[in-house]
Amino acid sequence: MDNNITSGHAGACCTRIENLGVRIGNTNILENVDLHLHCGQLVALIGPNGAGKTTLLRAMLGELPHSGRLHFLPVRKVGGETSPRIGYVPQKIEMDLLAPITVCDLFASAVSRRPIWLGCRRKSLKGSLEMLAVVGADELLEKKLGQLSGGQLQRVLLALALTPVPEILLLDEPVAGVDQAGIEMFYTMVSQFRRAFDLAILLISHDLPAIARFADRMVFLNRRILADGTPAEVLSNPRVIQTFGYDFSAAAGPHAAAPVHHGGAS
């Protein structure tokens, strides 16, 4: 990670999800979800396919109607709640691989009102260029999106999600399709970001041994939260072992004994 990172952009904060539920048609996708997310903390969200993990992220983003409440409490701001800045990296993006859209075009469309067809002006992308450098992707600026590898694209999307620096970063299986070396690099980078930028990070992962070594806390979701604690605590939970068919708790890293802020359900 770039040594020029400036820490403390987001400030101390707490996001409280209270009794959140999502119903689609006659089906309850999520119900009674209570979760607290704290800045400076990397929380891994695990669960079987169809458990509602992506649905939870989409509800937090305001893309799905939901019951319950989401509170954002910034310690740095006097006077109560405010809407948080949320960065988001999807599992994948749908795009035409033959389209002549460059990384520069992607960032320009996000941070400027100037039409893309008029060209990409680097001078209007100062903050974006700095963040691309932070994730080690500044050399990709003129590359077409269709030319990027899975790992390169995810770094570009991560830089975009961090421009400007949010209070909450949501990552939906960000290493899907990335090789093992790329997974290690991505998780190491994200782990450093939570402290450098004082971010609350909620990361969906199916790679339990890998994320267990980086997460401060792990949440097991299957329509509702069934376990919440350190990676070692959650991965040794009988419900988790039964779901995944294996006890991954030995893979938990140095955070296994660290105190955590529980989010209500356990």
Side-chain angles (χ1 to χ4, degrees):
M1 189 174 70
D2 193 293
N3 292 327
N4 293 323
I5 279 182
T6 302
S7 63
H9 285 203
C13 60
C14 172
T15 299
R16 300 163 63 96
I17 299 170
E18 298 179 349
N19 198 31
L20 185 141
V22 175
R23 184 179 179 86
I24 299 178
N26 296 320
T27 304
N28 287 325
I29 307 300
L30 294 172
E31 55 186 20
N32 305 124
V33 173
D34 292 299
L35 181 64
H36 296 178
L37 302 173
H38 298 268
C39 279
Q41 190 176 73
L42 172 57
V43 180
L45 184 64
I46 67 170
N49 292 330
K53 302 184 296 297
T54 296
T55 298
L56 176 58
L57 267 57
R58 292 185 63 196
M60 293 176 66
L61 290 166
E63 294 182 354
L64 289 176
H66 61 82
S67 58
R69 298 189 65 186
L70 188 151
H71 304 275
F72 177 71
L73 305 174
V75 176
R76 60 183 170 81
K77 181 175 180 178
V78 178
E81 300 178 24
T82 185
S83 297
R85 294 186 300 270
I86 301 179
Y88 174 55
V89 177
Q91 182 178 354
K92 61 181 179 179
I93 59 173
E94 300 295 334
M95 63 180 180
D96 182 355
L97 297 180
L98 299 178
I101 300 174
T102 66
V103 172
C104 190
D105 294 331
L106 177 66
F107 275 83
S109 66
V111 304
S112 172
R113 294 182 179 179
R114 176 183 170 87
I116 294 178
W117 55 268
L118 290 178
C120 179
R121 291 180 173 178
R122 288 194 177 214
K123 65 180 182 180
S124 65
L125 300 178
K126 183 176 184 296
S128 303
L129 291 172
E130 291 174 353
M131 198 56 70
L132 280 168
V134 164
V135 303
D138 48 325
E139 78 283 359
L140 302 176
L141 191 65
E142 302 301 334
K143 285 274 191 179
K144 294 178 182 178
L145 295 181
Q147 296 175 329
L148 302 181
S149 68
Q152 289 174 329
L153 179 59
Q154 289 305 84
R155 279 188 286 147
V156 167
L157 294 177
L158 178 60
L160 185 62
L162 291 170
T163 308
V165 176
E167 281 86 14
I168 306 168
L169 180 62
L170 304 178
L171 305 173
D172 189 353
E173 296 188 57
V175 295
V178 179
D179 61 27
Q180 192 59 43
I183 290 173
E184 292 286 327
M185 183 181 72
F186 191 92
Y187 282 159
T188 298
M189 188 164 50
V190 168
S191 180
Q192 292 172 330
F193 285 163
R194 77 186 189 276
R195 296 190 181 96
F197 294 136
D198 199 22
L199 294 172
I201 301 177
L202 183 60
L203 186 156
I204 296 176
S205 177
H206 285 289
D207 192 344
L208 304 190
I211 194 57
R213 294 188 290 108
F214 294 94
D216 300 293
R217 179 172 151 214
M218 190 169 279
V219 173
F220 176 56
L221 179 74
N222 193 358
R223 199 171 66 177
R224 60 174 64 88
I225 293 178
L226 301 178
D228 182 352
T230 65
E233 290 170 344
V234 172
L235 292 176
S236 61
N237 185 291
R239 286 174 170 172
V240 176
I241 295 173
Q242 182 179 19
T243 297
F244 294 103
Y246 191 80
D247 184 350
F248 291 100
S249 58
H255 299 295
V260 297
H261 302 276
H262 291 280
S266 61

